[in-house]
Amino acid sequence: METLKGKAVYKGIALGKISVLRKTENVVKRIKIENVDTELQRVEAAKAQAIEQLGKLYEKAVKEVGEASAAIFEVHQMMLEDLDFNEAIENTIRTQEVNAEYAVASTGDSFSEMFASMDDDYMKARAVDIKDISERLIQNLTGNGDNGLDFTEPVIVVADDLTPSETVQMDKEKILAFVTVHGSTNSHTAILARMMNIPALIGVEMNLEDIQTGTEAVVDGFSGEFILCPEEEVKAKARKKLDEEYEKRSLLLELKGKENITISGKKIELYANIGSAADVGYVLENDAGGIGLFRSEFLYIGRNELPGEEEQFQAYKQAAQNMAGKKVIIRTLDIGADKQADYLNLGKEENPALGYRAIRICLTQTDIFKTQLRAIFRASNYGQIAIMYPMITSVEEVKKIQEIVQEVKKELRDCEIPYKDVEEGIMIETPAAVMISDELAELVDFFSIGTNDLTQYTLAIDRQNEKLDAFYSPHHKAILKMIQMVVDNAHKAGKWAGICGELGADTALTETFVRMGVDELSVAPSMILKLRKIVREME
């Protein structure tokens, strides 16, 4: 028996045989070519073939995992048409006079590394998407085609990492769990695991060459353990946990459509955090009351130019329409010098967490801010949208925002473009905002507490620094007292206050938050029903 440790991205238990996915690497050689136009035509043909393949994958995914999850293949089709990506391939072929395979591989590696180096976990996970489309193009150029991923029995899938194309080709009825060497909490493996309610471990240090397909194993998504060749006692415990989990899951599904209300009648809103319009399906599937945090920065990162007003409008409009009247709270641009967006001219900073980021960019480069606000207000006509502004530290900042908002509204009126007056709130992420929350509450419609940044700023601990994990305590009394202060000041002004940081999904604090008077918790979609259960069982 051998026990390996990893990071659990979805809790649960699996017991069964493993299937090791060993990928055949496309060996790409750099070849000097004579006819540039021929290579460019080969790229175009491979791209057309890839778009057709992705269309078929999209149709298959819609039937198996739903439209929201299938949307990634539409995104991949769009990425294949991306101007920057295609220009980079063409420039490589023309300037270096190299074969199409090499140009695609080097461009894919370059773009993938750019995403992987970003600080934002969601954007970092998009490196896999770039890798996926590049490999697809190379397969088409070399004539290797797609590799089948058929399983004859239910298995635990073990791999270095999994791309969206690989996961959608698998028979979902025959997957017990995922275990990967790489990946992140926002990877497609993790998203699929959460959607399918199966355990998944990432970051497991293992040599795939030493692990054999057919080996029996246990995946424990609670302890983060991957146990190979388990002893009978371990298997018996796993079977018992499986029975308990099945019973719990059945009970949770009965909570769909129920209110988030305590036994004594106290109600709390349970909303979901999302990274793009494509994630709305998870929100609806898990019966969330709305979207409490729509991260708009996904539209800005990993490109060479600002997203236009129309592109942003379509993304916000899609989310609003798909939510069918449920609230969608869009956070305005929250990007900093630690995320690569050269066109914003952010420059290198020694301490980006305390630097030129979020609302500071918007209030300095107001043209960027106005473009986003116009897109949001235009989209407000298609659903129930609200706006929240990140990294607020002063009353003056809020007043400046309000002036800009009025200018945008006037522009829309002058152009006879319809919009609705929406709720406008701010994120409470700094100790400064906490201490003046009584004054801020008079100026805005709501507060949303970003506990991740609030914790690191209060404790003076970089939350990205693994060496400080032992000192990083989101349950610190100072943090809880600050949350209480913010909630109290909001209520005194007749406003509501929610939490959209990671702490909102901490089930150990759910009862505490309800008793504090927190009005809304915005969490990962998969946590909605779990929190609802806790709330409904509270006195």
Side-chain angles (χ1 to χ4, degrees):
M1 186 171 86
E2 183 183 6
T3 302
L4 303 171
K5 292 288 287 183
K7 182 177 181 181
V9 291
Y10 192 80
K11 294 179 179 178
I13 296 288
L15 168 63
K17 293 179 181 177
I18 66 176
S19 178
V20 183
L21 180 63
R22 293 186 175 91
K23 301 182 187 180
T24 336
E25 291 290 330
N26 286 303
V27 181
V28 177
K29 293 180 180 178
R30 180 185 174 120
I31 302 169
K32 181 84 171 173
I33 52 103
E34 293 180 3
N35 194 325
V36 167
D37 290 335
T38 299
E39 294 306 298
L40 292 175
Q41 285 167 12
R42 289 182 66 221
V43 172
E44 284 304 311
K47 194 167 75 173
Q49 186 182 353
I51 288 171
E52 186 181 347
Q53 290 166 342
L54 289 165
K56 289 176 182 175
L57 284 174
Y58 173 79
E59 290 171 11
K60 185 176 187 291
V62 166
K63 292 174 187 172
E64 293 183 358
V65 295
E67 197 169 336
S69 299
I72 185 60
F73 297 108
E74 289 186 315
V75 173
H76 280 198
Q77 286 176 318
M78 289 166 61
M79 289 169 96
L80 280 168
E81 299 286 5
D82 182 74
L83 216 53
D84 296 327
F85 184 68
N86 283 287
E87 279 180 2
I89 293 171
E90 183 178 343
N91 288 339
T92 303
I93 293 173
R94 288 191 184 280
T95 58
Q96 299 181 34
E97 295 183 344
V98 290
N99 55 319
E101 290 89 342
Y102 180 81
V104 171
S106 60
T107 301
D109 288 344
S110 173
F111 275 61
S112 184
E113 284 171 14
M114 178 182 70
F115 275 94
S117 66
M118 292 177 184
D119 180 62
D120 185 278
D121 286 340
Y122 181 84
M123 301 312 300
K124 192 180 288 185
R126 302 291 72 78
V128 178
D129 297 324
I130 297 291
K131 208 170 181 180
D132 200 355
I133 64 168
S134 301
E135 286 177 357
R136 180 174 295 282
L137 282 175
I138 294 167
Q139 281 177 349
N140 292 343
L141 285 164
T142 56
N144 287 338
D146 289 326
N147 296 318
L149 294 158
D150 297 325
F151 308 121
T152 55
E153 61 180 328
V155 293
I156 295 165
V157 178
V158 177
D160 182 72
D161 200 359
L162 292 165
T163 66
S165 298
E166 287 165 341
T167 54
V168 83
Q169 287 176 71
M170 298 175 187
D171 183 347
K172 305 304 176 291
E173 297 299 317
K174 292 177 182 171
I175 302 175
L176 299 174
F178 291 122
V179 180
T180 63
V181 178
H182 297 104
S184 72
T185 51
N186 286 297
S187 66
H188 294 290
T189 307
I191 291 169
L192 190 63
R194 288 193 287 265
M195 189 195 68
M196 293 169 63
N197 292 321
I198 60 172
L201 302 181
I202 60 172
V204 179
E205 291 186 14
M206 55 185 169
N207 185 348
L208 297 182
E209 297 302 318
D210 297 337
I211 300 173
Q212 295 301 314
T213 290
T215 304
E216 199 168 22
V218 168
V219 177
D220 191 329
F222 296 96
S223 63
E225 292 179 325
F226 179 40
I227 306 167
L228 294 162
C229 304
E231 295 171 355
E232 282 304 319
E233 186 183 348
V234 174
K235 288 196 282 187
K237 283 182 180 177
R239 289 189 191 101
K240 186 181 177 186
K241 283 184 179 178
L242 274 168
D243 291 339
E244 290 170 356
E245 283 302 300
Y246 179 78
E247 190 177 343
K248 283 179 187 175
R249 199 171 296 156
S250 301
L251 290 171
L252 279 178
L253 289 174
E254 291 176 11
L255 291 173
K256 279 193 172 184
K258 302 281 179 70
E259 284 193 296
N260 315 305
I261 191 164
T262 66
I263 293 169
S264 57
K266 168 71 177 172
K267 187 176 180 182
I268 187 167
E269 297 291 351
L270 295 180
Y271 286 4
N273 298 336
I274 66 169
S276 75
D279 296 336
V280 169
Y282 304 123
V283 179
L284 298 172
E285 186 180 342
N286 288 280
D287 201 30
I291 294 170
L293 170 60
F294 183 122
R295 299 179 179 93
S296 67
E297 53 269 22
F298 84 98
L299 287 162
Y300 292 80
I301 298 176
R303 55 196 298 160
N304 293 327
E305 60 182 4
L306 283 161
E309 181 181 328
E310 190 62 27
E311 181 185 348
Q312 293 190 62
F313 162 66
Q314 292 297 339
Y316 307 142
K317 175 186 172 185
Q318 182 186 343
Q321 287 180 323
N322 289 349
M323 287 302 291
K326 289 184 175 181
K327 190 181 291 184
V328 178
I329 303 176
I330 299 170
R331 179 176 69 187
T332 57
L333 178 60
D334 189 5
I335 193 173
D338 56 340
K339 298 171 188 173
Q340 292 190 20
D342 294 340
Y343 58 85
L344 286 175
N345 302 314
L346 301 182
K348 182 173 171 54
E349 294 184 328
E350 290 301 319
N351 195 338
L354 302 178
Y356 184 50
R357 55 173 295 196
I359 204 65
R360 295 164 187 175
I361 295 173
C362 293
L363 293 181
T364 307
Q365 301 187 51
T366 54
D367 53 332
I368 295 173
F369 194 29
K370 283 184 173 182
T371 298
Q372 181 173 31
L373 288 173
R374 277 197 300 272
I376 295 173
F377 275 105
R378 283 174 60 194
S380 69
N381 212 40
Y382 297 87
Q384 190 185 354
I385 282 178
I387 310 174
M388 65 180 178
Y389 308 103
M391 281 296 292
I392 297 298
T393 61
S394 71
V395 166
E396 288 71 29
E397 287 168 346
V398 176
K399 288 182 176 178
K400 179 63 178 171
I401 290 167
Q402 290 173 338
E403 287 175 16
I404 294 170
V405 167
Q406 290 308 315
E407 289 172 16
V408 167
K409 286 182 176 180
K410 184 179 185 303
E411 288 173 14
L412 292 173
R413 286 195 302 272
D414 290 347
C415 295
E416 297 184 351
I417 296 172
Y419 71 88
K420 293 178 186 172
D421 285 322
V422 302
E423 272 190 304
E424 292 178 72
I426 59 171
M427 290 191 69
I428 304 289
E429 302 167 275
T430 64
V434 172
M435 299 310 294
I436 60 167
S437 54
D438 55 340
E439 296 177 53
L440 293 170
E442 299 295 336
L443 299 172
V444 298
D445 297 313
F446 65 90
F447 289 149
S448 189
I449 305 169
T451 54
N452 302 355
D453 272 335
L454 182 59
T455 302
Q456 80 165 343
Y457 292 140
T458 303
L459 302 183
I461 290 177
D462 180 359
R463 59 190 173 99
Q464 305 290 340
N465 190 335
E466 293 177 3
K467 293 178 183 177
L468 300 175
D469 282 353
F471 301 95
Y472 185 84
S473 171
H475 288 213
H476 196 291
K477 282 185 180 178
I479 306 301
L480 298 178
K481 283 186 175 182
M482 283 182 163
I483 292 172
Q484 186 68 74
M485 183 187 295
V486 171
V487 172
D488 289 345
N489 283 333
H491 290 173
K492 283 175 189 172
K495 311 298 169 63
W496 64 268
I499 295 174
C500 65
E502 290 298 317
L503 212 56
D506 190 332
T507 53
L509 288 173
T510 306
E511 289 194 26
T512 301
F513 291 147
V514 174
R515 292 197 171 96
M516 280 181 172
V518 172
D519 301 290
E520 173 246 28
L521 295 173
S522 191
V523 297
S526 59
M527 290 300 297
I528 297 293
L529 294 177
K530 292 176 184 176
L531 294 186
R532 181 172 295 167
K533 183 176 186 295
I534 295 170
V535 170
R536 289 178 63 84
E537 290 174 356
M538 279 185 65
E539 286 294 343

